Amino acid sequence: MEQPEDKKIRIGIEHLEENPQINLIELVGYVDSYNSKFFQETIIGYINNGDTKLIMDCQGLNYLSSAGIGSFVAISEELKGRGFIVLYNVPPTVLD
């Protein structure tokens, strides 16, 4: 998995063996106003490189601020008509 660098969030991406067109993105850490731009730009960079079918494993996500939610909305808008984003394993504390 590639790991763009930021001290508060680790982002890993890999193609699923069963279906290489689908990308699994692992999130570890948190997304807040400090690093939401980094997070958003990293994921949009993947999209611009052709990775448009995204499954995000949020199990390692500890916190998501309103800025982080905004990043997910921007990512979703970027994918409109080109692909999809699925969030799974979202911890209850993040859902709250």
Side-chain angles (χ1 to χ4, degrees):
M1 268 194 194
E2 296 174 30
Q3 303 250 332
E5 297 208 17
D6 184 279
K7 294 179 182 176
K8 296 183 178 192
I9 183 85
R10 256 190 5 242
I11 304 168
I13 185 170
E14 65 182 72
H15 298 284
L16 291 183
E17 194 173 301
E18 305 83 28
N19 188 343
Q21 293 181 339
I22 297 177
N23 303 280
L24 177 65
I25 296 178
E26 181 183 25
L27 303 176
V28 178
Y30 56 94
V31 182
D32 61 8
S33 59
Y34 170 78
N35 65 356
S36 61
K37 185 175 180 178
F38 167 81
F39 168 71
Q40 181 177 327
E41 288 175 352
T42 299
I43 302 302
I44 289 176
Y46 294 148
I47 293 166
N48 290 336
N49 284 332
D51 297 323
T52 58
K53 297 177 181 171
L54 308 175
I55 298 175
M56 293 199 178
D57 182 354
C58 300
Q59 184 173 7
L61 197 59
N62 300 325
Y63 176 75
L64 184 66
S65 73
S66 58
I69 292 170
S71 291
F72 276 105
V73 170
I75 291 163
S76 177
E77 288 293 318
E78 188 72 28
L79 281 168
K80 209 172 247 183
R82 298 195 301 164
F84 62 82
I85 182 173
V86 175
L87 306 180
Y88 85 104
N89 283 335
V90 181
T93 54
V94 172
L95 284 174
D96 287 341

